[in-house]
Amino acid sequence: MSDSTTIAPDRVEVQAPQKQWQGQSVPRKEDKRLTQGQGVFVDDIKRHGMGYIHFVRSPYAHAHITSIDVSKAEEIKGVYGTLTGEEVASLTDPFFQLATPPGAHLKDYALALGKVRYVGEAVVAVVAETRELARDASELVEVEYEPLAAVVDARNAQDDGVPVLHDDAGSNMMWESVYEWGDLDAAFAEADRIVKIKELHFHRFNSTPLECDGALVEFNRGTGQWTIHTNNQFPGFAQIMMGPALHCGLDKLRFVTQDIGGGFGNKITSHPQLVACCLLARKLNRPVQWTEWRTDFHLSMSHGNERWFQDTEVAVKNDGTLLGFRTKALDDAGAWLRYEPLGGVIWAQVTPGVYKWRNIRLEFTQVATNKAPCSPNRGYSRMQHLWFTERVIDIVAHELELDPVEVRKRNYIKTEDMPYETPNGCIYDSGDYSRMLDIALELIGWKDAAARKKEAASRGKLLGIGIGSTLDSGTNNFGQSRMINPELQFSGNNEVATVKLDVFGEIVVTLGTTPQGQGHETTAAQVVADILGCSMDDVYVRAGHDSYWNSHAGFSGTYASQFAVTGLSAVKGATDMLAEQIKRLGSVILGGVPVDALELADGTVRIKDNPEAALPFMACGAIINANNAGLPEDLDVTLNCRYVYRPPFEVPDVEKKFGNLTLTYAAQIHAAVVEIDPETGHYEIVDYAAVDDCGIRIHPQIVEGQVMGATAQALGAVVHEAFEYDEDGNLLTPNFYDYHVPHALDMPPLQTGYIESPSPFTPLGTKGMGEGGGAGIHSVCAAVQDAMRGHGDAIVYDSWNPYKRVWEMLQHPEKTRALVEVVDA
Amino acid sequence: MSAIASSKAVTVTVNGVEYEREVEARKLLIHFVRDDLDLTGSHIGCDTGNCGACSMIVDGQLVKSCMLLAVQADGASIETVEGLAEDGELTALQQSFSDHHALQCGYCTPGMLMSATALLRTNPNPTDEQIKKALQGNICRCTGYWNIFEAVKAVGS
Ligand code: FES
Ligand code: FES
């Protein structure tokens, strides 16, 4: 047992203002423009004389670049110019690396320098008058390569004789660490059985937002400032990466966004392309725009982490009580560490999953391969780990002939033990997993499982039922990055909002976030309207993000399940300040009535006992902004309030790898019923239930929409979607032809349920919840395995289960059975 | 290269307005409408004709406008998402999308609306299966389609 204890954050008194708006599924403010095609997405923005960028990309997975000749392209009329890796290297520093050595030694630039390391890596940028010309001219860029052997299987990446991607690092091992908490020896001594699982594999895919990445960049020569219109979803991170590389202060990098066509984490690491855009805007003295092609996105942008879990051993009692596990996680980072190796610690936010086991050892190794760089993808790094824990539960249950429902219930962390401190010091704030499971089982008709299996069998089908229990840990403590590299100077988290009352009484809200469909304009207005006692329609929330709005902080952005906590807490803080100022002004204007005797209602500040005596917001705005002569000198009221929400975090103990890594823990319990056709391996999801608990729901319909979207992505991932590479490192699924995302006809019947366990640690009782933890992957894997019980008893060992694989598992169950062994302890 | 850049005069009517422009021969209809006519409501989500974000109604026919060259549309009458609402008054379908939370980021929405509009014109009371089939060519990565289906169904029946 670790002897330290994390101090749980102080409980926050959840204030209950008159809640007219919060909790209601009001119409979304965003919808009016978006349903009319009036959104402004990055590719919609144009500037006079702008040039279009096209990237020339590597056709090889691994090769030396022996020569680059751009002269033919540059000769074409209408081509404005080009950029090569050598130019980039002469003008910028490599991006700073989060890793300790050897990963720290990587020299990562905006364009490839000397070598290419994956198919699709950008080598040269060409800028021309039109998109078409830029593309055509790119064909005239001559690049000579000297191909090298490619590393595509992470399991061989460290073998002798395998080519090394980064000579600077000396090997393909990028980062490693051993995590151990509790007393493994005691756990294994106490166990009745040890379940050994040789290898499990979490596959490579990502959320493929429908809009690809892009930017329009302008350079102001007089001030040396770039304006970057982009759909990057984490400008705070992009600035920190780009500023040092470009040798400029962060304020010189102005990030502007309006609408973003989906992000899911995949739009965090576009900083290399943005640097290329910045250099070109300056070099060519004109605005430049880049819109990524779908194929380019698939080839090069933000693949989700592929991970192997090897030599797993689980200590378990005969009754299914889980005592602990050991495993080796081998993570395939792809060719560069763009956000990695943060995945090497992010998983630890959910170290025990939803279970009580206290003794855990995980050896984490991340290697480089000749594949696209990995970066966050919805459920980032926790999804992989939670899939692993769910696989372990089902494999243990089946091998010990126990009921997977019973094993889960026996081992779930109990609601009465919340807030619960995990073995590594994370504090699960609230929840009731057993109750959620009951709801999910009820929704899919679990009671009748036996009868349904029989009925399906009579039709020649194998029916299986599976559960996926997951967490969506939200609001990061960036201090966890110090477990990756103790030198890093990040910790805590923050988000900003400003709320002001303008001359004509207009309430204007600005956010630091970069929404991509989560409805921030709407939910922010709900919170503001409740506090100010006005209509939501009177609250104008500016669309999008602009780092020049002064509502931007170091961690501003929309990622990692945090808006309902960080964003809305900032909104609440700023609005509380404004409400207090309005009252102080009202107190003066209404003749010195004490502030306590005032209330905000109906768009006015008024005397509680005499509502007739009221000052409309419009008058307040006018007085302060335009008619302020004669106000008392000491009246410190601006009606323009900025609040930075800072969640209560301590820096984690880096030595012990111990501390609270996220503030909230939303939970999802999913249940899937599948029917397999044993002749072909084809299966259908015939029933599906998703039960969510994200604390207090500000807008239930938006919450349900997030649950649905996360479910759909997970179902796509488990059945269809994979970034598959051949042995030479060619991506076999570089577009929506080969990479099949679900269509309307693919969707199973879905039922949703919820409970609300308010977070005791957040001002509104909310929890971040957008990522969903991949519960759909876990539940379908479990259901497929369940269906095969008694039909060869294959073990589902991969997170990707296309029909072909299911057919193979049915044909050769022994191959998968060889992965599992149960020994008496 | 000058051969590649050859261009042609094209006349199209979009949402009732006639436009005449000189167009690069290889320009896609979607790029022509978005870049040259500045009607940016229709979107681009793929390079292969799979996603439907660019869906428009051309001479009464639902098409994926990334699968046509602009010059092929010479003389055509085109409807895009911008032409649905009149004077800011949403159509029943647009309103239904909002009511049912059938959009999150809204990037697929214009294409979805055009596909559903085309369906409801020819088949005002579609069955569940017909709705799903009609939307099959449109990818949405945010919603999982359930609410989109409900939104179309509510208007259809
Ligand atoms: S952009 Fe036309 S189908 Fe995808
Ligand atoms: S709402 Fe985002 S792609 Fe459909």
Side-chain angles (χ1 to χ4, degrees), chain A residues 210, chain B residues 103-106 108 140-143:
Chain A
L210 193 56
Chain B
L103 63 152
Q104 290 182 26
C105 76
C108 69
C140 174
R141 290 304 276 157
C142 299
T143 65

Side-chain angles (χ1 to χ4, degrees), chain A residues 509-653:
Chain A
V509 183
T510 57
L511 305 173
T513 58
T514 51
Q516 313 116 35
Q518 300 91 337
H520 291 184
E521 290 162 53
T522 306
T523 48
Q526 288 176 282
V527 171
V528 172
D530 274 342
I531 296 171
L532 295 184
C534 62
S535 163
M536 257 189 76
D537 297 338
D538 297 334
V539 181
Y540 168 60
V541 184
R542 286 192 193 156
H545 172 101
D546 186 334
S547 52
Y548 270 25
W549 282 343
N550 203 21
S551 52
H552 178 83
F555 297 117
S556 280
T558 298
Y559 56 92
S561 291
Q562 59 175 24
F563 177 72
V565 176
T566 58
L568 290 183
S569 297
V571 168
K572 177 182 182 301
T575 315
D576 283 340
M577 288 166 73
L578 180 66
E580 190 268 340
Q581 290 197 1
I582 294 173
K583 283 187 189 168
R584 276 197 287 128
L585 176 66
S587 151
V588 170
I589 305 294
L590 294 172
V593 209
V595 164
D596 291 350
L598 296 173
E599 64 179 2
L600 303 184
D602 298 334
T604 69
V605 52
R606 68 189 188 190
I607 298 172
K608 282 184 204 161
D609 296 337
N610 178 17
E612 304 279 283
L615 185 68
F617 286 171
M618 188 166 162
C620 298
I623 291 168
I624 287 296
N625 289 296
N627 191 12
N628 51 37
L631 286 178
E633 224 169 276
D634 60 353
L635 182 69
D636 180 18
V637 167
T638 60
L639 301 186
N640 188 344
C641 302
R642 177 178 195 265
Y643 184 84
V644 181
Y645 170 71
R646 200 169 61 225
F649 283 127
E650 303 289 325
V651 177
D653 181 330

